[in-house]
Amino acid sequence: MRTGRHVTMLTEGTYPHVHGGVSTWCDQLVKGMPEVDFHVVSLTGTGREPVTWELPTNIRRHTTVPTSGPRPGRARPPYGRARRRFLDTYERFLLSFLDPESPFDFGEALYELAVLARDGRLPAALRTEAALRSLMWTWTSPHLPTAAAHPTVHDALTATDLLEHALRPLGARIAEDTVAHAVSSGLATLPALAARHLDGVPFLLTEHGIYLRERYLGYRRDAQRWPVKALMLGFYRALNTLGYRAADLITPCNQYNRRWEERGGADAGKIRTVYNGVDPQAFPHAGPEPAAPTLSWCGRVDPIKDLETLIRAYAMVRAEIPETRLRLFGPVPPGGEAYRTRLEKLAAELGVTDGLTFEGRVTEVWRAYAAGHVVMLSSISEGFPFSIIEAMSCGRTTVSTDVGGVREAVGDTGLVVPPREPEKMAAAALTLLRDGERRRALGELARSRVIERFTLRRSVDAFRTIYQELAGLPQVYEPAVESVADWTAELRDPWYAAVATDGTDW
């Protein structure tokens, strides 16, 4: 019997391994509900990533699901009838998102693959020669646009590797007496989708940034050929839509996300916006401004934060007010060292290295906002950014890019500019640096706005209510398609067990 006291939180590349806005939100949520027991299932790279957060005592268990590295386990691929069923399912799965005219259902095929994933045999099955041939046959079907790109065997090996890694979370099991809470769309929803369909576990989906949009932005920079990108983006698009449709409740952190979700197939009736919140006592009024004109930024040093635009804008501000400083607070996540080096080279090329400092992670984050006259945000994608509402709570006005829920957060307490336009960002920063009276008045309005609308208590209380609502749902199992039941029986059949261990390959 569910009581609302057990929640499985599903994360991808964030809590509790990385510091940032989503991780801060996760930590706040767990700490804000000491009466609720949490099991955190974190999707990571290798599974060896360190835990960088001190876990609250009500996190009873933490499990990592590596999505890269060697194939998990030693399970052999399916044989005999199960092999033929897998190949049929896999081809329907591929066609469901590669062929716009396909009659096949992505969800139905995914749930069939989930049975194999739970048995530990999906990774091996995907990497067989027969599966590779199925992919090549699908790709080169004359009526599909991928055929014109003449996909190669190397493309198929690359795509298979990416897809096998992406599907690994499908085998992660979730306890049946819990609420599954995926804190992003995409891969973190895989265990929740399987648990919802096969075990009747309630499924809550929260979105901060728009996962699918960020995948598209990421693949623009990747070096893979078009057939590989078409396959992976088609998979993410279909998974995103299935998550929206299958979730019992969706809680975007802003209205901007809500519009994306409705456009992506979510039922408007099961969307409930819950804004992120901060504790005004933890982010008190910052007090006097620094002596030298200063622009401050706080976040993780990551390409999606587009710090190139911020540095270019800073160079333009320096040309007008030479004594201006730019202070960048926040960690460089593992693998991000090359990006920081690129930023340092850009600063050197623009001649602003003497006024720019990378301050690293700061323990008392409010000091990062107090360090500037104006707090900057240059991201190309955001949900409802903590750095903005935290800065506002500290009584600092902001210049930020018009992405995600930024405009909803800022209201009329700061200046919002288009992303990737350093000239407009510089102009906005100069406007505020030159007008102290307006700058301070906007800072006071910003703090009042946070206290009125975006407090941590309001956000946590909303999720406490949601957990209780979902825990009260009747445990109704969706009728599994016949082939799933048949497949499960075949995997347990003594004949299959004998064939699967006889040492032959297919």
Side-chain angles (χ1 to χ4, degrees):
M1 176 70 68
R2 298 192 188 91
T3 64
R5 295 177 59 88
H6 302 281
V7 174
T8 298
M9 177 180 283
L10 298 148
T11 70
E12 180 186 351
T14 55
Y15 190 74
H17 305 281
V18 175
H19 285 272
V22 176
S23 294
T24 297
W25 178 88
C26 292
D27 194 62
Q28 287 179 343
L29 194 63
V30 173
K31 287 179 177 176
M33 299 187 203
E35 76 281 7
V36 175
D37 291 341
F38 283 85
H39 172 204
V40 175
V41 177
S42 57
L43 278 56
T44 67
T46 64
R48 296 188 295 272
E49 291 79 2
V51 172
T52 59
W53 289 79
E54 182 177 349
L55 299 184
T57 57
N58 58 323
I59 292 183
R60 302 300 184 182
R61 191 153 56 103
H62 170 224
T63 305
T64 60
V65 179
T67 59
S68 66
R71 190 169 68 230
R74 299 190 177 210
R76 298 172 63 81
Y79 287 77
R81 293 190 298 266
R83 171 204 175 188
R84 290 190 295 273
R85 187 178 298 282
F86 163 71
L87 292 175
D88 173 69
T89 300
Y90 187 48
E91 288 171 7
R92 287 188 284 111
F93 176 71
L94 294 172
L95 286 168
S96 70
F97 58 82
L98 285 174
D99 183 359
E101 306 299 325
S102 171
F104 302 120
D105 181 80
F106 174 81
E108 180 179 313
L110 184 74
Y111 296 136
E112 292 185 37
L113 293 179
V115 176
L116 201 61
R118 287 184 170 190
D119 194 54
R121 300 186 181 275
L122 182 59
L126 290 169
R127 291 184 179 273
T128 59
E129 183 180 344
L132 195 70
R133 286 198 300 266
S134 290
L135 173 55
M136 288 297 296
W137 173 83
T138 304
W139 254 347
T140 56
S141 296
H143 66 289
L144 292 186
T146 48
H150 303 293
T152 65
V153 173
H154 182 269
D155 291 333
L157 289 168
T158 301
T160 296
D161 187 60
L162 292 171
L163 191 58
E164 187 269 304
H165 287 302
L167 287 172
R168 287 184 183 183
L170 196 57
R173 298 294 291 265
I174 293 176
E176 295 181 18
D177 62 340
T178 189
V179 172
H181 186 179
V183 303
S184 72
S185 190
L187 302 186
T189 67
L190 285 169
L193 285 165
R196 179 72 187 88
H197 185 81
L198 299 173
D199 305 316
V201 174
F203 170 25
L204 171 64
L205 173 58
T206 295
E207 280 204 294
H208 299 272
I210 296 298
Y211 186 96
L212 182 60
R213 179 175 181 270
E214 292 177 3
R215 297 290 77 71
Y216 272 92
L217 289 171
Y219 271 95
R220 286 178 62 185
R221 298 189 297 268
D222 283 354
Q224 289 99 355
R225 280 176 21 94
W226 182 72
V228 178
K229 294 182 180 182
L231 182 136
M232 292 309 299
L233 290 174
F235 163 73
Y236 282 120
R237 187 169 57 249
L239 179 60
N240 197 73
T241 299
L242 180 62
Y244 287 165
R245 291 176 177 170
D248 294 291
L249 190 66
I250 303 171
T251 50
C253 63
N254 55 63
Q255 295 296 325
Y256 172 86
N257 284 13
R258 181 189 183 106
R259 291 191 291 273
W260 269 86
E261 289 157 355
E262 290 182 12
R263 195 178 301 123
D267 179 354
K270 62 179 184 181
I271 302 177
R272 190 180 307 177
T273 302
V274 182
Y275 289 112
N276 295 345
V278 298
D279 181 356
Q281 292 184 333
F283 292 91
H285 199 291
E289 297 173 334
T294 304
L295 304 177
S296 175
W297 174 91
C298 187
R300 72 181 188 280
V301 179
D302 185 275
I304 208 161
K305 303 301 181 182
D306 191 17
L307 292 175
E308 293 99 334
T309 288
L310 178 54
I311 292 172
R312 292 183 189 281
Y314 169 59
M316 296 174 191
V317 171
R318 271 279 295 267
E320 298 289 327
I321 308 178
E323 63 271 28
T324 305
R325 298 183 60 197
L326 173 60
R327 301 182 66 181
L328 305 175
F329 294 86
V332 178
E337 295 80 10
Y339 182 63
R340 170 168 169 168
T341 300
R342 198 161 87 222
L343 297 174
E344 291 171 336
K345 289 181 178 178
L346 176 62
E349 291 169 5
L350 296 172
V352 296
T353 302
D354 59 326
L356 182 155
T357 53
F358 287 89
E359 309 277 350
R361 187 179 167 219
V362 58
T363 304
E364 294 179 298
V365 181
W366 67 270
R367 295 186 182 278
Y369 307 120
H373 290 72
V374 179
V375 175
M376 311 293 288
L377 183 137
S378 52
S379 302
I380 57 174
S381 181
E382 286 285 354
F384 196 79
F386 274 98
S387 62
I388 290 297
I389 56 175
E390 288 169 352
M392 291 166 62
S393 180
C394 292
R396 291 293 192 251
T397 188
T398 56
V399 172
S400 48
T401 45
D402 192 5
V403 293
V406 166
R407 191 175 288 276
E408 292 173 58
V410 172
D412 58 358
T413 70
L415 302 183
V416 179
V417 299
R420 291 195 173 113
E421 295 195 25
E423 297 84 359
K424 292 184 178 179
M425 177 169 283
L430 285 167
T431 296
L432 293 175
L433 287 175
R434 286 169 169 160
D435 191 341
E437 183 176 348
R438 181 186 181 191
R439 185 177 65 245
R440 286 184 284 272
L442 288 176
E444 295 303 321
L445 284 174
R447 180 162 172 82
S448 297
R449 183 174 175 84
V450 167
I451 293 171
E452 291 171 6
R453 303 186 183 203
F454 307 130
T455 62
L456 177 59
R457 180 175 180 178
R458 186 191 301 257
S459 179
V460 171
D461 284 349
F463 277 100
R464 180 181 286 110
T465 299
I466 287 168
Y467 287 156
Q468 291 170 348
E469 288 178 10
L470 292 178
L473 288 177
Q475 193 167 350
V476 177
Y477 293 80
E478 295 184 24
V481 293
E482 183 180 355
S483 54
V484 169
D486 290 346
W487 197 346
T488 305
E490 284 186 15
L491 291 173
R492 295 173 181 168
D493 187 90
W495 172 87
Y496 168 73
V499 173
T501 56
D502 68 359
T504 61
D505 201 348
W506 50 292

